[in-house]
Amino acid sequence: MSYCRQEGKDRIIFVTKEDHEAPSNAELIAEDPHDPYEEQGLILPDGAINWNCPCLGGMASGPCGAQFKEAFSCFHYSKEEVKGSECIDHFRNMQECMQRYPELYPQEEDKESSNQPEANSASDSTEGTASSSQTDSVPLSSPTDSQTTS
Amino acid sequence: MLKCRTVWRKLAPLARASSTLCRQNVRRTGLHNARLPAHVPGAHMATGPGGGGRENQLYVLLVGATCLGGAIYAYRTVKGDQQRYDERIAEIASRPHRRTQQATTSVQIETPAAETVETESVPESEPQATPSSEEPSPVVPDAETADSSEAPEPIQAEGLTTEQPSPALPPHAPYLLIGGGTASFAAARSIRARDPGARVLIVTDEPDLPYMRPPLSKELWFSDDPAVTETLRFKQWNGKERSIYFQPPSFYITPEELSTAENGGVAVLTSKKVVHMDVRGNKVKLDDDTEISYDKCLIATGGIPRNLQVIDRAGDEVKQKTTLFRKIDDFRTLDKVSRNIKSITVIGGGFLGSELACALGRRSQDSGLEVIQMFPEKGNMGKVLPEYLSNWTTEKVKTEGVKVIPEALVKSVTCKDDQLEIKLKDGRLIKTDHVVAAVGLEPNVDLAKSAGLEVDSDFGGYRVNAELQARSNIWVAGDAACFYDIRLGRRRVEHHDHAVVSGRLAGENMTGANKPYWHQSMFWSDLGPDVGYEAIGIVDSSLPTVGVFAKATAKDTPKAATEESGTGIRSESETEDVASSPVASSIPAPAETHKDDYGKGVIFYLRDKVVVGIILWNVFNRMPIARKIIKDGEEHGDLNEVAKLFNIHED
């Protein structure tokens, strides 16, 4: 049973697991997916790429940002059977650029072969460090809820 | 106008008197008989009929001579000014490499429009053109400056700048970010993401590249690496190592490359302070007299740690044994000092004070260092947590090895026998070797005066609107911004995540997004590895609160949370998309007395029955729900029902 106590202006409630088993009847306002104020995920409602998505880490803003944007845009809009097959040149450019900054883009063979940009989990902007940037094979469907870090 | 009239009125009798005197003198020289002035009609015109032509002639001569004299004087002065000006220009041109200390920096003369015409004729490539003659760079400061400021020729400083030997710092930066901290870096990244090829210049008075502050009072202290003060790398709970710097140096380009880099980039100008901002001219001046103009500017100057008045006035001996903690250097100093002394005292019971006390307390387990923490409140985080929780927290801090002295008001600090003696108002005397003052942050609004920006009197900081804009082309983000939060009202927030969120938003708005502050930032704090919380919104202990608690199991600690989500820093876990799904606890919460055990739960802060703040106490990865509740801003009848949304019994 829950147990309640009041200390001045502060109320304290202790609840057991059973107390919280029944679903909540608190009402939350429905989300508007097209709310322009909200933080957007990787893909904007109109289909464009949100380069400012925290999930991209610093990929779009670093020294190889231009090459990355070209490559990923090409891939994103590609309608080929094998998605992105016509974008090989762009990806090659990107790779060449990244090789010039090994500190920022750690060179690991299996990662480079992946055509997907890194869904950089260490998105608190520290790709430059040793092991924090790991390419997840997690699809890039971005979290729809808010991302706090850039 | 009135002034003119009154002056004229005053002069008129004088004029009349002098003309009367003139006439009297003329008459007395014997042109009349001895008739005295009584007979002289008052309104007699000097050139009236009668009275003989000669005194008229004399009078005309007198007036004429005066006019001529005046004209000659005026001509001479103007000529002299012109000459002086020419001389000065010649002199300046002959010594282009000398930069003398300017004495006239403080002179702020608004240029009349006439002078700007001349400046504009100078080619645009010299954006350092100054319209007014108060241009302080190598101008000989002397008495003449006062004169020359009135002379219609502005000092043509443009000629100078091309000959300056300083490294080719960019004279113009499309995006200028003042301050090199978290907010600034977040803005730089945002700008680069949205404006392809953007050229961003960060100017910071610190010698370091942008870095994150939270580890300075948390993770870096728990590192086993003896070289941590050099590398500034730390290992997180999950084993991943990272540096506190947001990016390594290779991410940035040099300021000299900024104008020419093909795809733009972010350049950081370190150890340079912006001392003056010219909003009309869209440019700033650095402490070495360089001027940089901008299209869009962000002020992210953060703040400087406050000090206790008693320490400020106590003299150098005391100040040398005091640390104000904010920057990397402070961390290095404190680390070194804490290894060599026997006793250290932290003054301040808020986030920074408590975190440092816990960090030092942990260290004290090995080294035998005595760690004392004192503050005026009744318990740690007394201004944030409701009293019962603050007391509970204080007990936890004590178990970390800290001697906590609550309700301590410092009356004086003196240095005796190479030790510090802290005297409290209630008479207690504490002897210690070193003091760390963590008593708040003073937002840095140095540029407000020169830029003409408003400073908020309630919260401090630059006053900006909901879109973080102070004026056209000027935005403010981070600790220094007092902004309008659409949901929670005007506020100023001093947390890391807010710096990131507001920096990003400012960057977006600088590139045309026009979005208000909407995504609510969060903050977190750990008090040792076993107690941690995340919070969002307005978390002020003076508000009425409702806390809903369950008993904590071993799985509910910050350590467990980060291990599970595979992240190292708390705010990151939000972007993980919940990498690992929460596992339902198979251990039933033991039915125990709940008396004073606030293991884990949710605390709601209410303002007029609306939830404006939420603390997740030892409950992690649920921030999105908390954010949603605050965003809705609804009145909820039963907060227990709202608490159910958090599933506090689950992991």
Side-chain angles (χ1 to χ4, degrees), chain B residues 30-45:
Chain B
L31 296 170
H32 282 278
N33 54 23
R35 280 285 192 82
L36 288 175
H39 283 260
V40 176
H44 191 88
M45 281 198 44

Side-chain angles (χ1 to χ4, degrees), chain A residues 5 9-11 13 15-16 20 24-25 29 31 38-39 52 69 103 121 123 125 127 146 148 150, chain B residues 190 193 246-247 250 504 518-519 541 543 545 547 549 574-576 598 627-628 631-632 640-641 649:
Chain A
R5 192 167 92 219
K9 60 170 176 63
D10 303 315
R11 200 152 157 248
I13 306 170
V15 289
T16 62
H20 268 200
S24 170
N25 61 16
I29 299 174
E31 287 283 348
E38 284 294 339
E39 299 255 312
N52 208 9
K69 281 186 192 173
E103 229 187 349
S121 57
S123 56
S125 52
E127 301 78 31
S146 359
T148 50
S150 57
Chain B
S190 201
F246 287 113
Q247 292 286 6
S250 49
R504 274 190 78 214
W518 192 246
H519 176 93
S541 63
L543 294 174
T545 67
F549 292 91
E574 295 229 64
T575 60
E576 275 281 311
Y598 308 101
R627 186 172 282 120
K628 172 78 180 135
K631 187 177 85 157
D632 283 354
N640 189 22
E641 293 295 322
H649 298 275

